[in-house]
């Protein structure tokens, strides 16, 4: 490769300096190796949720957690609304990390309320743990209200077998609520700095940072040859495979169209996700009402995402937008018995509908071409199972 191509990226382009500066920061959480360690995440969150710790936030971080939970679910299993959370006094809360193997257990005596949190960063639910934790809480506090929160990077639903009464919460929603706490004039300066560093670490490693992703897209547009040269030499089989999907997204859309018998097109693409659209749905009144989803403003899309270190996830998702339109789409799908996801109810923010997980364990030594073909096939089969059913349900809504 011509040295000038790499020099144009590393030396000449100011936006590469901007990206490098955004990522080249000291992070205490990275320094102690806690980026992917759930136990350490759990201990830090337990500390800031505890209103009796000397961080100066009082109960604001705990309120942020409960707001995130309510916004993810509209109303929790203990019949708590956003207004209830706003008015509730959490000052009596007692926070216990790793109580009976539950990541975080919060008792709020004044409210007769128990909050249990199972945290998943990259690990998966296993060995009937959710049903065991639910039973342990019910035995210990039989006369309390219980809120059971399944906190994951992408708001994954708990299993049908063991997840009864557990409410899925997306880590990004919690981060958004904690950002509000940081912006308030509360907290010991050192504690405020640590919480800011923690949220920045989440943004770099576990959440979508739109500004950085847009910057990366511009750099790819200008320096594709240099970046492909570097990425070809990066030992990341899962990342390499997802880049194959990105490069082949138009071909994949055409293949899905053929298998579904419905036109499917690429709607938008960013570093960690590809969005596909069904143009037929654009004819639904107010369908393009989404807020902060993709540039087309379509409110319902098929997303293929690099969700973890060893899996991709495919799902249909209703984004934020006009609530009446969202309700109309969701209720129509339910009426026609289409798959609307395990939650089986509409939230105020994001709704994952039909979902499928593509496991990528132990792929380092496998042939990349064969893997790409296998993943393409799984995505096509998932889409062909649901796109026709969704289209049939939406017939009555198309003008």
């Amino acid at each position: 490769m011509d040295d000038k191509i790499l020099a144009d990226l590393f030396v000449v382009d100011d936006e590469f300096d901007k990206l490098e500066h955004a990522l080249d920061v000291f992070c205490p959480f990275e320094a102690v190796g806690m980026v992917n360690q759930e136990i350490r995440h759990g201990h830090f969150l337990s500390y800031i949720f505890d209103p009796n710790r000397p961080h100066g936030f009082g109960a604001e971080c705990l309120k942020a957690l409960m707001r995130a939970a309510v916004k993810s679910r509209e109303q929790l299993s203990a019949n708590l609304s956003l207004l209830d959370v706003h008015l509730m006094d959490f000052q009596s809360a007692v926070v216990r990390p790793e109580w009976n193997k539950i990541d975080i257990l919060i008792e709020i005596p004044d409210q007769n309320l128990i909050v249990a949190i199972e945290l998943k960063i990259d690990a998966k639910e296993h060995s009937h743990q959710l049903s065991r934790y639910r039973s342990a809480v019910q035995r210990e506090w039989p006369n309390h209200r219980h809120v059971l929160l399944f906190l994951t990077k992408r708001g994954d639903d708990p299993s049908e077998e063991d997840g009864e009464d557990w409410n899925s919460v997306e880590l990004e929603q919690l981060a958004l609520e904690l950002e509000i706490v940081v912006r308030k004039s509360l907290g010991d300066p050192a504690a405020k700095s640590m919480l800011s560093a923690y949220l920045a670490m989440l943004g770099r490693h576990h959440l979508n940072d739109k500004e950085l992703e847009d910057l990366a897209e511009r750099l790819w547009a200008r320096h594709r040859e240099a970046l492909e040269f570097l990425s070809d030499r990066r030992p990341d089989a899962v990342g390499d495979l997802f880049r194959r999907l990105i490069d082949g997204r138009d071909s994949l859309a055409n293949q899905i169209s053929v298998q579904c018998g419905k036109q499917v097109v690429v709607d938008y693409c960013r570093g960690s996700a590809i969005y596909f659209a069904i143009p037929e749905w654009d004819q639904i009144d107010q369908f393009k009402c989404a807020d902060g989803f993709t540039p087309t403003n379509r409110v319902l899309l098929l997303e293929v995402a690099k969700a973890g270190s060893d899996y991709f996830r495919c799902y249909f998702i209703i984004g934020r937008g006009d609530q009446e339109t969202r309700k109309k789409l969701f209720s129509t799908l339910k009426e026609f018995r289409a798959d609307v996801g395990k939650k089986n109810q509409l939230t105020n923010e994001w709704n994952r509908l039909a979902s499928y997980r593509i496991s990528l364990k132990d792929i380092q030594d496998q042939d990349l071409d064969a893997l790409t073909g296998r993943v393409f096939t799984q995505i096509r089969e998932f889409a062909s199972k649901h796109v026709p059913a969704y289209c049939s349900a939406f017939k009555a809504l198309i003008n």
Side-chain angles (χ1 to χ4, degrees), residues 41 56 64 71 77 85 110 112 124 161 183 188 190 203 214 227 232 265 276 281 331 343 385 395:
H41 279 269
K71 288 181 179 180
S77 52
V85 171
D110 289 354
N112 199 42
K124 306 174 184 67
E161 182 181 3
R183 290 196 296 269
D188 176 84
D214 289 345
L227 291 169
D232 285 345
V265 299
F276 297 93
W281 300 347
S331 61
K343 286 182 181 177
K385 177 181 178 182
K395 275 183 180 179

Side-chain angles (χ1 to χ4, degrees), residues 24-298:
D24 187 19
V25 295
F26 172 74
C27 176
F29 300 100
E30 292 170 358
V32 299
M34 73 165 280
V35 171
N36 295 304
Q37 293 194 5
E38 287 166 7
I39 290 176
R40 293 185 179 181
H41 279 269
H43 277 269
F44 178 75
L45 291 173
S46 295
Y47 189 94
I48 66 166
F49 291 155
D50 191 337
N52 300 302
R53 293 286 191 169
H55 43 57
F57 296 122
E60 288 301 310
C61 292
L62 180 51
K63 277 197 171 186
L65 167 70
M66 299 304 293
R67 286 197 306 269
V70 172
K71 288 181 179 180
S72 296
R73 185 76 186 198
E74 220 174 57
Q75 193 172 64
L76 296 175
S77 52
N79 293 321
L80 293 176
S81 69
L82 200 56
L83 181 60
D84 293 330
V85 171
H86 178 72
L87 298 175
M88 191 174 289
D89 182 1
F90 291 99
Q91 203 58 45
S92 67
V94 178
V95 182
R96 302 184 181 96
E98 298 185 82
W99 181 85
N100 269 16
K101 298 186 177 180
I102 297 172
D103 289 324
I104 305 173
L105 193 287
I106 304 170
E107 180 184 3
I108 310 170
D110 289 354
Q111 306 297 330
N112 199 42
L113 182 66
I114 300 296
V115 180
I117 304 169
E118 177 60 21
L119 173 65
K120 297 295 182 188
I121 299 298
D122 280 321
K124 306 174 184 67
E125 178 188 344
H126 60 84
S127 63
H128 306 293
Q129 61 182 158
L130 295 185
S131 60
R132 287 188 285 107
Y133 298 163
R134 181 181 63 246
S135 297
V137 169
Q138 291 171 343
R139 283 195 305 271
E140 188 74 15
W141 292 280
N143 299 317
H144 284 59
R145 295 178 296 167
H146 304 144
V147 172
L148 310 178
L149 303 180
F150 190 54
L151 180 60
T152 68
K153 285 167 65 169
R154 290 186 166 267
D156 294 340
D157 291 321
S159 65
E160 288 189 22
E161 182 181 3
D162 299 303
E164 183 182 355
D165 294 330
W166 285 88
N167 304 277
S168 63
V169 181
E170 192 165 2
L171 192 57
E172 185 164 9
Q173 185 65 56
L174 173 59
L176 289 172
E177 298 298 331
L178 289 174
E179 286 281 5
I180 295 172
V181 176
V182 169
R183 290 196 296 269
K184 293 181 178 180
S185 55
L186 296 172
D188 176 84
K192 198 168 185 177
S193 176
M194 285 292 284
L195 181 53
S196 295
Y198 178 75
L199 295 174
M201 179 272 291
L202 289 182
R204 286 193 299 275
H205 294 279
H206 300 300
L207 309 177
N208 289 328
D209 187 321
K210 189 175 188 305
E211 183 179 352
L212 290 183
E213 288 187 356
D214 289 345
L215 180 57
E217 286 183 12
R218 293 197 297 273
L219 288 170
W220 269 97
R222 290 198 296 270
H223 304 286
R224 178 168 289 277
E225 187 176 354
L227 291 169
E228 286 180 344
F229 176 82
L230 295 172
S231 66
D232 285 345
R233 286 150 182 80
R234 178 173 178 259
D236 175 16
V238 173
D240 289 344
L241 180 56
F242 197 79
R243 282 187 285 278
R244 286 282 192 101
L245 295 187
I246 290 175
D247 291 341
R249 59 189 182 274
D250 291 320
S251 173
L252 178 56
N254 291 333
Q255 293 177 36
I256 295 172
S257 299
V258 171
Q259 190 153 342
C260 290
K262 295 287 183 180
Q263 185 187 13
V264 177
V265 299
V266 177
D267 178 272
Y268 188 62
C269 178
R270 54 169 58 106
S272 60
I274 310 168
Y275 299 94
F276 297 93
I278 292 77
E280 179 179 310
W281 300 347
D282 293 348
Q283 301 173 59
I284 298 172
D285 188 42
Q286 294 296 309
F287 185 75
K288 292 187 177 182
C289 67
D291 175 22
F293 196 5
T294 73
T296 66
N297 294 323
R298 289 174 168 126

